[in-house]
Structure formats: C-alpha cells, structure tokens
Amino acid sequence: MKSFDINRFGRTLRWVLAVNYRTLMMWFAGTFTAVLMGEMLLNMINRPFEPYVMINTFSTAGSFLFFVATLILIGSVVASINEKRKRTRFLMLPSTNVEKYLALIVYTAVVSVVGVFLAMVLGDSVRMLYYWVKEACGFIPEYYVRSVWSKEFDNHEFYWYSSAVPQVLKNISFYNEQFDYGMKPTMYWIMENTLTYTFVVWLFSLYTLGGTLLRKYSFVITCLVMLLCVIVFANLQDYYEWTFLEHRWIENADKKGMHCVYTEIGTVPYVLSILFTLLTVFNYWASYRIFKGFQIITNKWTNYDILKR
C-alpha cells in the first residue's frame, strides 16, 4: 500500500481515538477542573472592583494554560504508542506510514487540542452560571456587578458572569485590533502577523519533532532547545543591533487614544519568516522520516538510533 486512502486513514484515526479515549477524558477533566478552580481562586485572591479586570485576568491565564497544554499535546505525538504492546498493534494496522503518521498528528494537534479548549469553555461556563445565580439571588451588590469604566473603555459592559472565552480566542489567534482602527500601516501589520504565525507554526513543528524523536522528557528537552535558540538570537540581536519591527506612538490631539507616527521594518523579519518556513518543512519531514523507521524494540531514550541507520 503506497497511496493515501481516506477510508484507511479514518479507520486508523478511530483506532488511535479508541486506544487513547481514557487519556483524552483525563485531559478534559483535568483542564475543566483547572479552569474552574483557577478562576474561583483568582477571584478570591484579587477581588478587584471592576469585573472587566477580573475577566481580563481570566483570559490571560486561560490563554497561557491553553498554549502550554497545546505544546504538551503536540509534543506527545507518539506517546500513545511508546508501550511495546500498543506499538506492535499500531505498526501492524493495515494502513500506510503516511496514514498512521497523520492519524497521530490529527489526534494530538487537533482532536486533543479541541477537547482541551471545550473543557476550558465548560469550566468558564460553570463559573459564569455560579455568578449569575449568585447575583440573581441577591448575594452580589448592584454596584459590584456593573463595570462603568469598562463600558467607556471598549463599548462593552462587563459583569461577573461575563465570559472570558472571546478574549481567550483573540489572544490565542494573536488578533491585533490596532489594524482595525488604522493605527499601523498595512505592510507593517502584514509583516508583524507573518512573522508571528510562521514562528508559531515552527514552534509546533519543533515540538512535533522532539516528541517523535525522544521517548522520555521530550517536552522538557524541547523547551531547553527552544530556550537555547532564544538566548542565542537575543545575544546576536544585542551584538549586531539588528533593526527588527520598530514603531512609535503619540497621543492624539483630542486626547482620545494613540496614533502611530513612525514604523520601520528591518531585514531580519523577512529573513526569519523565510527561515521559520523552511525549518518547519524540515522538522515535519524529519519527524516523518523518524516515524517511518520505528521499530518494535527501540532504545530507552529515542525512537531513532543513528548507529543502526
């Protein structure tokens, strides 16, 4: 079998889901509990006067939790078949290497990530229901419910039972409202987003490669590699004083908001965007090559033994 068949791929994916159903449910329950208890604890600790401040805190913490959980899940691309028995059954499935590899990628990078996000939505919804009932029963004073300052800030009125999910979606999509109001030139906004998204995709590919190559501590080791890359780039940036993405703001004459008066796009963002794209392709190619070489019996730390190649 050398050609890709959507039906075989579907059966392979269903097998992966069936084998990892309990793990998926544990991730769902853990995320739901973490979000619900985290929002309750943050509210108890901070107790701000403005509901907007608390909703913004929820969304920031939730975005960070979702991003970290996504990296962990992507880095565990082959964790479900690290056991000898599961690996034997998986490698003997009547499907091609491409179908098997894509099934693992879809399970970890799509199904599991969507499950975690739905758990976050459910946890936030339970918190919203709790405060809605609390206010309806008169346990929250009226002056403590409404947010006048928030209404003036972005034309929305926030309550304790408002949802943090819309802001989480903006955060994890790296949505930039400044472009909507014409605060930055179009080319600057395009380059800024291109660099951001190519970096994020490269980051996901790096964790996929690390998860495919390493059998133990793949997330930790990949984080150390990522940290090393950041340190090296920061030192090069400091030494050579490269022009990156620069802009300057001044306050509008009517004292309402800010206005961007200066922008500059250096050569480095263009080079990095191309480099991230090439490295992303290489990482997924290398990850697939390693997967193709999977054996039933492998060494303790890696799925790829270069001495046997």
Side-chain angles (χ1 to χ4, degrees), residues 46-113:
N46 293 314
R47 277 296 186 187
F49 179 77
E50 293 287 345
Y52 169 79
V53 177
M54 200 70 257
I55 298 301
N56 187 60
T57 302
F58 292 160
S59 63
T60 302
S63 302
F64 177 78
L65 173 65
F66 180 78
F67 193 72
V68 172
T70 299
L71 292 180
I72 294 175
L73 288 168
I74 290 175
S76 62
V77 58
V78 297
S80 59
I81 57 170
N82 271 342
E83 297 179 10
K84 180 180 177 181
R85 178 177 57 83
K86 290 183 180 180
R87 181 177 294 227
T88 303
R89 293 175 59 191
F90 182 74
L91 294 179
M92 292 180 65
L93 291 176
S95 55
T96 63
N97 287 326
V98 174
E99 293 159 359
K100 293 173 184 175
Y101 180 74
L102 287 179
L104 293 176
I105 292 293
V106 170
Y107 165 69
T108 54
V110 179
V111 177
S112 298
V113 171

Side-chain angles (χ1 to χ4, degrees), residues 55-207:
I55 298 301
N56 187 60
T57 302
F58 292 160
S59 63
T60 302
S63 302
F64 177 78
L65 173 65
F66 180 78
F67 193 72
V68 172
T70 299
L71 292 180
I72 294 175
L73 288 168
I74 290 175
S76 62
V77 58
V78 297
S80 59
I81 57 170
N82 271 342
E83 297 179 10
K84 180 180 177 181
R85 178 177 57 83
K86 290 183 180 180
R87 181 177 294 227
T88 303
R89 293 175 59 191
F90 182 74
L91 294 179
M92 292 180 65
L93 291 176
S95 55
T96 63
N97 287 326
V98 174
E99 293 159 359
K100 293 173 184 175
Y101 180 74
L102 287 179
L104 293 176
I105 292 293
V106 170
Y107 165 69
T108 54
V110 179
V111 177
S112 298
V113 171
V114 170
V116 166
F117 179 75
L118 293 177
M120 293 180 63
V121 173
L122 181 60
D124 187 64
S125 299
V126 173
R127 187 267 308 168
M128 292 168 59
L129 178 62
Y130 170 78
Y131 280 108
W132 182 81
V133 172
K134 195 173 182 180
E135 183 195 350
C137 295
F139 291 106
I140 302 180
E142 177 66 21
Y143 72 86
Y144 199 59
V145 174
R146 297 184 178 274
S147 177
V148 178
W149 174 80
S150 297
K151 183 176 181 179
E152 294 177 352
F153 182 75
D154 57 3
N155 297 320
H156 291 284
E157 189 140 12
F158 288 84
Y159 304 88
W160 284 108
Y161 50 80
S162 296
S163 174
V165 174
Q167 187 59 44
V168 170
L169 288 173
K170 286 184 179 181
N171 292 341
I172 63 179
S173 65
F174 304 99
Y175 176 74
N176 192 347
E177 291 181 339
Q178 293 171 347
F179 181 71
D180 291 349
Y181 303 102
M183 293 184 178
K184 291 181 181 178
T186 302
M187 191 60 200
Y188 187 96
W189 180 86
I190 291 175
M191 197 63 240
E192 190 177 44
N193 282 273
T194 300
L195 183 60
T196 300
Y197 288 119
T198 53
F199 169 76
V200 171
V201 175
W202 167 75
L203 188 64
F204 289 167
S205 71
L206 179 65
Y207 278 84

Side-chain angles (χ1 to χ4, degrees), residues 235-243:
N235 280 275
L236 290 174
Q237 170 78 7
D238 183 63
Y239 182 79
Y240 291 104
E241 297 182 352
W242 290 326
T243 300

